[in-house]
Amino acid sequence: MKCSSAIQKIVLMASSSSPQRLRQWANFQSSPKKARTMSTQSSLKDAFSSYADYLNNLNEKRERVVKASRDITMNSKKVIFQVHRISKNKKEEVLEKAYKDLAAVMNQYVARLVKELKGSDFWKLRRAYSPGIQEYVEAATLCRFCKSGTLLSLEEMNASFSSLSNPSQEPLQINILDYILGLADLTGELMRLAIGRISDGELQYAEKICTFVREIHRELTLLVPHMDEPSDMKTKMETMLQSVIKIENACFSVHVRGSECNLLGTDDSSYSLMGAAEGIDL
Amino acid sequence: MSGGEASALPLEKQFEDFRSQLEDSVTLRERIRAVVLEIESTTRLMYSSLLLVYLSRPLLEVLDKSKAHIGTLKDHYSRLADILSECPDQYYRYHGDWRSETQTAVSLLAFTHYLETGNLLLHNEAGEKLGLTNSQFGLDLEDYLVGVCFMSNELPRYVVNQVTAGDYDCPRKVLKFLTELNAAFRMLNLRNDFLRKKFDGLKYDLRRVEEVFYDVKIRGLASDGDSTGNQGSKENNDSEVVH
């Protein structure tokens, strides 16, 4: 009786269909409960329950990797903000703190990634962790540039990860693509840094940044067509070019107005330099 | 961070290395794509063989023609595996290049297998047929499942044409198969991704087959086959609804 009342409900709900039709439908609905061939059905169930286990494990792992990646992104961003606190007289201590924070990102969050990824996971789950790693590359290369004016190479970065895993584990290896994508983002940060330095009157430092960014831009230009996803890289290249041009324009303004100052014979050069930087729209 | 010598590595040098590495991967990808094109054309031939089932050819002939391509497919996959063995652990870097072709291949194998046995081709069986049993180069489970969904898309058409050709028992069998398959799929916790969408499609196939089954049944065309055991209870249900 229970069954029939449920069917009547359905009949009411779907008044446009003929009741007869629904009755037939209901008949067949009740029949699969009496499975006729248990053997095929149970092997299908067994197989699918093992597929379910596989998918559950994979999804849980992916979720953990995404979380680790998000933490890496968030904390790498903090390192980048710290680097931007640099000022003319407070370079050393600001950088020291940035390096300390960077090491913490590696030991706490990158270490969590290392635990999850092995073998083919590096590529299989790349989408899940790539944003975090790119941000980390950005933060680490920014710190290195501010400290020594050089580019932290991929080889060095990967070597620094070897301490995270014990020798029996596979070490985390950042792939070329994530490293290059991270570098592409680095130029945006360097642009901000350059503008800040100009405001602070450190024109030479800004020019050094400018040269470095130009070099990276030039090198990456050659790599674009060979990337796994060239279209993503193309948009990054355009943003990068804008950053380079912004730094160049800032340097140009300072250069022109700076010489103006000399002509006027004022020695208060920092004032006009400030003005030059203000004109730059970040 | 170690400063010193490593950082003295000139910037250009590093990028030169990158360029040559990336160029290698571009070359590798081109080789992969060449094989994938062949896989694609083989699956096309196999599909056209299976389409003979709609032209009222004898089932055995259709199956023979379809199965004749499996060996070729296997050869293609073993070539693919050879190429990929040059870069261990990078299976999923290039996976996108053969993914959809593999899903198609699985769907054709599964359809052939269903026509032959009336059962679902399981993941390990599909892997064996394609020679994808290696741990470094296996059949991705999600590709297999998507392939199974593709196979289900073919079943409504199959049922319709079988009935037209006079096989009135076919809808019942297919319906039972699809109902079980649907139940099996519901055991999986799917993410909101491509596979989930394909699985949603399977429900429509199921509904379409139900309709065909109904059309046949209501006109008394379906033979009762082995379902006589259920006759009694069905009639009871009927009388309950009618009042």
Side-chain angles (χ1 to χ4, degrees), chain A:
Chain A
M1 282 316 284
K2 222 187 221 173
C3 175
S4 78
S5 68
I7 290 162
Q8 276 178 323
K9 254 185 227 162
I10 297 165
V11 172
L12 289 173
M13 271 156 55
S15 52
S16 60
S17 316
S18 80
Q20 237 182 356
R21 186 183 174 118
L22 277 154
R23 195 189 318 143
Q24 289 293 338
W25 177 79
N27 281 344
F28 123 74
Q29 284 286 307
S30 61
S31 64
K33 279 175 202 154
K34 299 158 192 136
R36 284 164 222 131
T37 46
M38 280 307 290
S39 62
T40 61
Q41 210 182 12
S42 65
S43 78
L44 188 67
K45 279 238 161 80
D46 288 347
F48 269 74
S49 82
S50 77
Y51 304 161
D53 289 344
Y54 171 87
L55 290 178
N56 285 344
N57 287 336
L58 180 63
N59 287 340
E60 279 159 25
K61 181 180 228 176
R62 183 184 280 118
E63 213 46 50
R64 288 193 301 270
V65 169
V66 168
K67 271 185 199 149
S69 165
R70 257 190 227 135
D71 287 338
I72 295 172
T73 307
M74 206 173 69
N75 290 287
S76 298
K77 278 205 160 90
K78 283 184 191 158
V79 172
I80 293 170
F81 278 121
Q82 173 63 22
V83 172
H84 284 306
R85 291 189 192 109
I86 279 186
S87 65
K88 210 171 182 175
N89 313 316
K90 253 189 10 190
K91 203 177 154 201
E92 297 297 318
E93 57 177 290
V94 169
L95 271 185
E96 203 175 298
K97 167 103 171 48
Y99 265 107
K100 226 178 83 197
D101 293 350
L102 188 70
V105 175
M106 184 164 96
N107 293 326
Q108 282 180 37
Y109 305 108
V110 180
R112 247 167 53 201
L113 255 191
V114 175
K115 262 189 234 149
E116 296 293 344
L117 303 174
K118 39 180 152 346
S120 58
D121 295 342
F122 286 108
W123 286 101
K124 180 164 193 156
L125 296 176
R126 181 180 161 224
R127 271 175 212 288
Y129 69 80
S130 180
I133 288 296
Q134 286 180 33
E135 200 72 28
Y136 182 80
V137 169
E138 205 180 321
T141 49
L142 184 65
C143 286
R144 167 60 74 88
F145 176 79
C146 290
K147 195 178 173 197
S148 61
T150 53
L151 178 66
L152 176 65
S153 72
L154 175 59
E155 218 172 297
E156 287 174 273
M157 282 200 82
N158 279 336
S160 72
F161 289 137
S162 62
S163 62
L164 290 181
S165 47
N166 52 47
S168 63
Q169 274 178 305
E170 251 171 296
L172 175 69
Q173 296 284 295
I174 296 180
N175 61 62
I176 302 187
L177 304 172
D178 287 336
Y179 177 79
I180 291 173
L181 292 167
L183 278 193
D185 294 337
L186 169 69
T187 53
E189 297 306 329
L190 286 174
M191 184 266 289
R192 289 192 184 89
L193 190 70
I195 304 300
R197 293 308 82 224
I198 290 173
S199 309
D200 230 6
E202 289 188 274
L203 182 56
Q204 277 201 320
Y205 195 24
E207 275 168 356
K208 197 172 119 192
I209 295 174
C210 189
T211 313
F212 184 67
V213 172
R214 272 185 198 139
E215 252 181 295
I216 291 184
H217 175 260
R218 193 182 79 89
E219 294 291 352
L220 292 187
T221 304
L222 291 170
L223 300 182
V224 176
H226 305 311
M227 297 287 284
D228 281 20
E229 292 110 5
S231 60
D232 286 3
M233 191 60 191
K234 260 182 203 150
T235 37
K236 285 208 180 204
M237 288 304 290
E238 269 160 41
T239 323
M240 196 188 310
L241 184 59
Q242 291 312 312
S243 299
V244 177
I245 290 174
K246 272 178 198 165
I247 304 176
E248 286 173 347
N249 285 342
C251 288
F252 161 82
S253 303
V254 171
H255 190 76
V256 172
R257 293 195 201 176
S259 61
E260 217 168 54
C261 292
N262 289 342
L263 284 175
L264 293 170
T266 38
D267 47 17
D268 184 16
S269 62
S270 67
Y271 175 75
S272 64
L273 292 176
M274 292 278 274
E278 272 165 21
I280 307 302
D281 183 21
L282 277 173

